[in-house]
Amino acid sequence: MPFVDLKTQYRALKPRIQENINRVLDHGQYIMGPEVGELEEKLAAYTGSKHCITVASGTEALLISLMALGVGPGDEVITTPFTFVATAEVIVLIGAVPVYVDVEPDTCNINTTQIEAKITARTKAIIPVSLYGQPADMDEINAIAARHGNIPVIEDAAQSFGATYKGRKSCNLSSIGCTSFFPSKPLGCYGDGGAIFTNEDNIAQACREIRSHGQSQRYVHTRIGVGGRMDTLQCAVVLAKLERFDWEVEQRIAIGNRYNALLDEARVKRVQQRADRTSVFAQYTLFAPRREVVQKKLSDAGIPTAVHYPVPLNEQPAYRHLCCPDCTPVAQQLARQVMSLPMGPDLTDEQQRKILNELCA
Ligand SMILES: *Cc1c(COP(=O)(O)O)cnc(C)c1O
């Protein structure tokens, strides 16, 4: 049993994926070919955002967003330590300081009641993460940001494309939304890819220029940029996968809910979902106080597991000295307990039953 089953998905979509790839090979516009704009239009429509700018990865999406906002040395960016390293990495890369806010013990998302206390005159952005595919409490975060001079809010939606919050789509819940098309994300390509979403024309324009070396016209570089485009082949793959995506989201929700019911029945502690949002369950995560033992038991039965994430970012060797390594006790405790089970739209009832049987054996 794979942790994320990409092969079954490929078999289901093979003719369309190959057709799309062949079309790119035939026209030969590997960079900024027609599929790039086509995908951007479809993704913007899907999320309801005015603009979508595809980029080379989810990490690049976050980096370009911060650059577009003009965040730089001496600035502070509020975020969560309980996330993939990229969230804090981009903050440090542009010379700003990550300021960590602890997470909620049940959702593992940023604890909005603790954000305000961390805002200073140097706070230039807030980056909540919609962890495991469930949006953070974005309206509450937007309200706090508005009270403090409209601090831009960047949703790290790398895991939550397709999720909803109060009926609205993740990626279109704040000033900027960033997602990733890393193969194992809910909407993945066959390499690296990502996208930025915004309703603000000036931010969109800045992101478009920055992803392509700060060019406003060919060989006119009006700002410092990066080589951050998503290539046409990867856009063609995502276009093919979009055709099955609504079904996949429904499957993910049904399978996630089934895990919830089975684990609740077995009295296993798990990540909770709020009633006003849907999660796309990028990971299905539970709390296992004796994690190593449980992982070994499942592994012996041929069931892979993973840990997202074993160390909060403020305790990582390269990050410890930057900001308060011990200021987020909840994240610290969760990092020792979280464990993710196989998850994906093609996970069968039979596989789920086997997983639960082994877990509770
Ligand atoms: C995957 C991920 C990223 C980075 O995306 P890449 O496409 O791998 O660069 C950033 N943040 C979070 C929360 C992620 O899960």
Side-chain angles (χ1 to χ4, degrees), residues 57-59 62 83-84 86-87 129 156 158-159 180 182 185 192-193 309:
S57 68
T59 307
L62 292 165
T83 174
F84 181 63
T87 316
V129 177
D156 182 343
Q159 302 179 5
S180 162
F182 186 85
K185 305 280 163 137
D192 277 311
Y309 295 89

Side-chain angles (χ1 to χ4, degrees), residues 264-342:
D264 289 351
E265 202 178 284
R267 298 180 183 282
V268 176
K269 249 184 92 196
R270 59 169 174 91
V271 169
Q272 300 289 316
Q273 289 83 37
R274 299 274 186 256
D276 60 358
R277 358 198 154 153
T278 56
S279 174
V280 285
F281 296 99
Q283 279 85 31
Y284 188 90
T285 306
L286 52 80
F287 304 111
R290 292 162 64 238
R291 183 168 64 197
E292 283 71 26
V293 178
V294 181
Q295 283 193 288
K296 169 139 200 331
K297 190 166 73 171
L298 290 174
S299 163
D300 288 346
I303 298 164
T305 57
V307 174
H308 309 99
Y309 295 89
V311 181
L313 298 186
N314 47 354
E315 293 175 33
Q316 287 286 356
Y319 291 79
R320 281 192 69 87
H321 67 286
L322 297 168
C323 181
C324 65
D326 300 309
C327 64
T328 54
V330 176
Q332 214 166 43
Q333 197 198 348
L334 293 176
R336 287 196 286 268
Q337 297 187 8
V338 287
M339 189 190 100
S340 305
L341 299 174

Side-chain angles (χ1 to χ4, degrees), residues 15-270:
R16 179 45 65 96
I17 286 175
Q18 295 202 327
E19 185 188 312
N20 281 13
I21 287 177
N22 285 335
R23 193 179 335 115
V24 176
L25 296 178
D26 283 335
H27 68 54
Q29 295 178 58
Y30 301 117
I31 298 294
M32 298 307 284
E35 285 77 5
V36 178
E38 196 187 323
L39 179 64
E40 289 176 345
E41 259 175 50
K42 289 216 163 117
L43 294 177
Y46 180 89
T47 59
S49 302
K50 187 166 178 198
H51 302 282
C52 168
I53 303 100
T54 56
V55 292
S57 68
T59 307
E60 212 73 4
L62 292 165
L63 177 66
I64 292 170
S65 298
L66 287 172
M67 290 172 76
L69 294 172
V71 180
D75 294 337
E76 293 174 359
V77 178
I78 291 177
T79 191
T80 155
F82 202 53
T83 174
F84 181 63
V85 67
T87 316
E89 188 175 45
V90 294
I91 298 169
V92 180
L93 265 176
I94 56 163
V97 180
V99 174
Y100 299 104
V101 169
D102 211 350
V103 295
E104 299 172 333
D106 57 343
T107 66
C108 304
N109 275 334
I110 194 166
N111 188 334
T112 56
T113 64
Q114 297 180 20
I115 292 177
E116 209 142 23
K118 299 286 178 83
I119 293 177
T120 73
R122 290 190 299 270
T123 307
K124 289 294 152 56
I126 304 174
I127 309 185
V129 177
S130 294
L131 198 73
Y132 305 142
Q134 174 176 221
D137 194 353
M138 297 302 291
D139 277 357
E140 183 57 28
I141 298 166
N142 289 332
I144 294 165
R147 282 202 294 277
H148 292 268
N150 285 320
I151 302 168
V153 177
I154 303 172
E155 182 195 10
D156 182 343
Q159 302 179 5
S160 61
F161 189 84
T164 62
Y165 174 89
K166 301 182 183 174
R168 284 135 49 207
K169 286 269 172 28
S170 177
C171 293
N172 186 21
L173 301 173
S174 60
S175 335
I176 301 179
C178 291
T179 199
S180 162
F181 305 123
F182 186 85
S184 59
K185 305 280 163 137
L187 181 60
C189 58
Y190 288 158
D192 277 311
I196 301 167
F197 297 85
T198 184
N199 293 312
E200 293 175 42
D201 298 344
N202 55 343
I203 292 177
Q205 181 61 24
C207 290
R208 280 187 200 286
E209 290 180 13
I210 292 166
R211 89 168 154 188
S212 200
H213 304 288
Q215 272 194 158
S216 53
Q217 306 160 40
R218 191 157 205 197
Y219 300 130
V220 180
H221 303 276
T222 43
R223 46 171 107 234
I224 305 297
V226 295
R229 294 164 303 226
M230 181 164 166
D231 62 68
T232 314
L233 277 169
Q234 297 305 341
C235 290
V237 170
V238 177
L239 277 171
K241 289 207 189 182
L242 258 186
E243 292 179 17
R244 201 177 86 131
F245 190 63
D246 283 339
W247 175 83
E248 288 192 358
V249 169
E250 276 172 35
Q251 284 298 108
R252 284 181 171 279
I253 292 171
I255 291 165
N257 287 341
R258 194 174 142 82
Y259 263 139
N260 283 346
L262 291 167
L263 289 173
D264 289 351
E265 202 178 284
R267 298 180 183 282
V268 176
K269 249 184 92 196
R270 59 169 174 91

